[in-house]
């Protein structure tokens, strides 16, 4: 029987300060708790809508609210956390402490999949907090390169935690007795792929470069790419990105003309930045089409951004099309 290192032992050997390890441990333990609530579904009465909308004017599911409360409460009780921000909270929440870390999160990603028992996840990003004063919203608006830790939990056939701290990406599987065990050390994203992920139902609304890129893929062997492509779209960013972490691929949620004033659907601070860091640390790339996601200077907490990420060479093909 193979033995696996658990998260605590793995963290002990990582070159990070104890306070950051405390934050990561708190998030990991909360995600293990979220996994139990997600798995209980109708048995705990946690499916269905909450009857409220969030700051993005999206209908909240009961699980969006439950998981937001779980993470908020846990982080408020974690000494090194000075402030938090969530997809489900209009404003940042200072914890009353100064220094240490800021955490942003999407407590439940893939809300449309909850009630149909398809994989959902939690995404998190950890940034340094300012020293000397309680954090304000402006203190959260740091480019993704500043992240000191980021990752996600995916609640799927297995519950997994995919994490990056100072370097590299490691993936842990939740055991039946509630331990995070290192099952996938040093995850890398294949540089080449023949698999793309995009919501094809928006095709007629895309800009010309995205139309050209996808059209090239769809032409397969007979087209400019000279190879056949496969398509997958789970509609949970966590699950789509996790597949790319495991077997390569390119994920896109580009700008489209349905709401031309919106840069994209996904949010920079708690979706694109943490996923961008995980993908880059595994050797992949993440861009808005022009700028690396991690180099974008955020202007607003709930800022949206176009996203293209995954296998490095394929992201470059998309980027070249967007620059043409
Ligand atoms: P959330 O459930 O946190 O609001 O995020 C949903 C996001 C993302 O997970 C996914 O990639 C995308 O929405 C799916 O959008 P479509 O329904 O437009 O395909
Ligand atoms: Mn999301
Ligand atoms: Mn969400």
């Amino acid at each position: 029987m193979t033995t696996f290192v658990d998260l605590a032992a793995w963290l002990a050997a990582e070159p990070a300060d104890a306070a950051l390890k405390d934050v990561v441990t708190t998030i990991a333990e909360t995600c293990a708790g979220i996994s139990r609530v997600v798995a209980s579904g109708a048995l705990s009465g946690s499916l269905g809508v909450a009857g409220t909308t969030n700051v993005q004017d999206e209908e909240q599911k009961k699980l969006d609210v439950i998981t937001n409360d779980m993470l908020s409460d846990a982080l408020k009780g974690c000494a090194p956390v000075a402030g938090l921000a969530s997809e489900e909270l209009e404003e940042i929440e200072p914890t009353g402490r100064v220094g240490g870390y800021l955490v942003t999160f999407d407590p439940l990603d893939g809300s449309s999949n909850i009630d149909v028992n398809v994989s959902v996840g939690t995404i998190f990003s950890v940034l340094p907090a300012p020293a000397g004063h309680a954090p304000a919203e402006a203190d959260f608006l740091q480019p993704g390169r500043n992240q000191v830790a980021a990752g996600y939990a995916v609640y799927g056939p297995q519950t997994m935690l995919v994490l990056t701290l100072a370097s590299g990406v490691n993936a842990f599987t939740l055991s039946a007795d509630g331990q995070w065990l290192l099952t996938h050390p040093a995850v890398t994203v294949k540089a080449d792929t023949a698999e793309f992920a995009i919501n094809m139902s928006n095709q007629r609304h895309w800009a010309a470069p995205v139309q050209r890129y996808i059209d090239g893929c769809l032409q397969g062997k007979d087209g400019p790419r000279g190879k056949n492509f496969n398509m997958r779209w789970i509609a949970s960013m966590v699950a789509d990105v996790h597949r790319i972490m495991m077997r390569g691929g390119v994920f896109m949620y580009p700008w489209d003309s349905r709401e031309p004033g919106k840069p994209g659907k996904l949010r920079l601070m708690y979706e694109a930045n943490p996923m961008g860091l995980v993908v880059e640390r595994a050797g992949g790339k993440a861009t808005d089409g022009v700028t690396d996601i991690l180099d974008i200077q955020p202007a607003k907490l709930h800022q949206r951004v176009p996203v293209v990420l995954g296998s490095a060479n394929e992201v470059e093909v998309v980027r070249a099309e967007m620059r043409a």
Side-chain angles (χ1 to χ4, degrees):
M1 174 93 181
T2 320
T3 53
F4 298 100
V5 173
D6 75 1
L7 180 64
W10 179 82
L11 273 175
E14 274 293 291
D17 69 44
L20 181 58
K21 292 177 185 181
D22 191 7
V23 177
V24 169
T25 302
T26 299
I27 294 169
E29 284 174 357
T30 310
C31 289
I34 291 175
S35 139
R36 285 191 290 275
V37 180
V38 167
S40 67
L43 298 175
S44 59
S46 56
L47 302 187
V49 294
T52 46
T53 52
N54 67 11
V55 60
Q56 354 253 342
D57 225 15
E58 294 161 345
E59 179 180 70
Q60 286 179 305
K61 298 288 175 71
K62 283 185 193 167
L63 268 172
D64 288 318
V65 176
I66 294 168
T67 56
N68 181 65
D69 289 349
M70 289 173 78
L71 267 166
S72 300
D73 290 351
L75 291 168
K76 283 176 192 163
C78 178
V81 177
L84 55 95
S86 162
E87 177 188 346
E88 307 302 338
L89 298 170
E90 185 160 3
E91 292 176 1
I92 65 136
E93 292 204 352
T95 60
R97 294 180 292 262
V98 173
Y101 297 99
L102 306 174
V103 182
T104 70
F105 54 88
D106 175 355
L108 201 76
D109 173 69
S111 300
S112 70
N113 283 320
I114 297 165
D115 293 345
V116 293
N117 196 11
V118 170
S119 297
V120 292
T122 298
I123 312 174
F124 60 90
S125 161
V126 186
L127 292 161
H133 66 271
E137 178 171 327
D139 297 306
F140 282 76
L141 304 180
Q142 306 180 39
R145 295 254 173 245
N146 282 17
Q147 293 172 102
V148 291
Y152 62 85
V154 55
Y155 314 111
Q158 302 107 48
T159 293
M160 291 182 70
L161 178 73
V162 178
L163 183 62
T164 182
L165 270 115
S167 63
V169 179
N170 288 278
F172 302 80
T173 303
L174 190 65
S175 69
D177 61 356
Q179 290 188 82
W180 290 112
L181 300 177
L182 179 62
T183 48
H184 298 65
V187 178
T188 56
V189 177
K190 276 180 6 189
D192 292 295
T193 185
E195 195 162 71
F196 65 87
I198 195 166
N199 185 336
M200 283 294 297
S201 69
N202 297 325
Q203 183 170 24
R204 70 188 187 285
H205 306 295
W206 298 333
V210 179
Q211 300 274 6
R212 285 196 301 270
Y213 167 72
I214 295 294
D215 187 53
C217 295
L218 294 175
Q219 288 180 49
K221 260 188 171 356
D222 307 326
R225 303 300 304 280
K227 62 180 181 180
N228 294 328
F229 277 76
N230 186 32
M231 191 202 87
R232 288 286 182 271
W233 184 249
I234 300 170
S236 289
M237 185 193 200
V238 164
D240 279 310
V241 170
H242 189 67
R243 182 189 60 254
I244 289 169
M245 295 299 290
M246 293 294 118
R247 71 177 189 204
V250 64
F251 169 94
M252 303 175 69
Y253 212 119
W255 171 89
D256 67 52
S257 64
R258 285 173 298 168
E259 290 182 73
K262 263 191 196 175
K265 176 173 185 182
L266 299 174
R267 280 63 50 110
L268 176 60
M269 298 296 298
Y270 40 80
E271 290 177 321
N273 267 344
M275 291 313 214
L277 188 68
V278 168
V279 166
E280 271 204 12
R281 286 277 174 78
K285 291 191 174 175
T287 175
D288 68 359
V290 179
T291 307
D292 286 353
I293 294 283
L294 301 179
D295 290 327
I296 298 172
Q297 173 60 52
K300 285 195 307 197
L301 188 61
H302 297 287
Q303 176 169 339
R304 294 175 192 263
V305 66
V307 175
V308 179
L309 60 75
S311 293
N313 294 339
E314 197 62 22
V315 170
E316 282 310 322
V317 174
V318 180
R319 187 151 36 191
E321 201 65 83
M322 287 179 157
R323 281 179 180 153

